[in-house]
Amino acid sequence: MTAADNASHTTAAGDDAAHEGFTPEERAAMKEHAQELKKASRRRSRAEKEAEAAADVVAKIAEMPDADRVLAERVHAIVTANAPTLAPKLWYGMPAYALDGKVVCFFQSASKFKTRYATLGFSDVAALDEGAMWPAAYALTEVNAEVEARIAELVRRAVS
């Protein structure tokens, strides 16, 4: 590796340690996303695509470790009940909900990226704007009545 190559691989802080690029979890998520795109391109009608994508989401949730699965099942039920215009689909191997093919919100399990908590995230397509700054992701450790109400309100607002 030349000095120029080494300089381009240093961390943002300027450390001399080489940056390794994507983590194994990030690479796996990108591979899953490529497989999702390939599978989606083979589907025929829109109704068939949506039905198969929804089944893929349910299957992916069923594969999750118990703690993540319980949260993902609740989020899935809340989103589909409160924003029926959103179509479930896999996005980087995680449950997501799209409007006209564009992801509005998604669930990211804690186990996927070995994090302390699961995440409910919203893309820039979500209509959640509040002034100059607003949250676009929420940490989830449990879904109680209060959290359920907040998620329901957020997804209804996201598609309004």
Side-chain angles (χ1 to χ4, degrees):
M1 183 179 285
T2 68
D5 289 336
N6 191 34
S8 69
H9 286 80
T10 59
T11 62
D15 297 339
D16 289 332
H19 177 67
E20 296 297 323
F22 295 109
T23 66
E25 295 82 12
E26 290 168 330
R27 284 193 297 276
M30 288 185 284
K31 285 180 184 178
E32 283 185 278
H33 186 57
Q35 290 170 345
E36 292 157 11
L37 293 173
K38 187 175 180 181
K39 186 175 184 179
S41 70
R42 290 192 304 257
R43 295 181 184 138
R44 293 165 294 289
S45 73
R46 181 180 176 137
E48 287 173 325
K49 288 178 184 180
E50 289 179 0
E52 190 172 338
D56 290 345
V57 167
V58 171
K60 183 59 79 172
I61 290 171
E63 294 172 1
M64 292 179 183
D66 289 346
D68 287 329
R69 183 183 42 74
V70 168
L71 293 173
E73 287 172 344
R74 291 302 309 136
V75 167
H76 181 73
I78 296 164
V79 171
T80 55
N82 288 278
T85 58
L86 294 179
K89 66 183 271 179
L90 290 178
W91 190 54
Y92 294 96
M94 289 286 104
Y97 305 87
L99 184 62
D100 299 326
K102 295 180 181 176
V103 170
V104 173
C105 62
F106 58 91
F107 175 85
Q108 182 178 303
S109 68
S111 62
K112 178 83 172 179
F113 294 103
K114 299 179 179 124
T115 57
R116 184 166 67 90
Y117 48 79
T119 305
L120 174 64
F122 293 86
S123 74
D124 62 326
V125 176
L128 298 177
D129 303 34
E130 290 179 4
M133 187 173 121
W134 57 91
Y138 297 83
L140 284 175
T141 57
E142 70 174 297
V143 178
N144 56 30
E146 180 183 337
V147 171
E148 184 171 331
R150 180 71 173 133
I151 293 170
E153 186 261 326
L154 284 167
V155 296
R156 283 192 303 265
R157 215 169 94 213
V159 296
S160 63

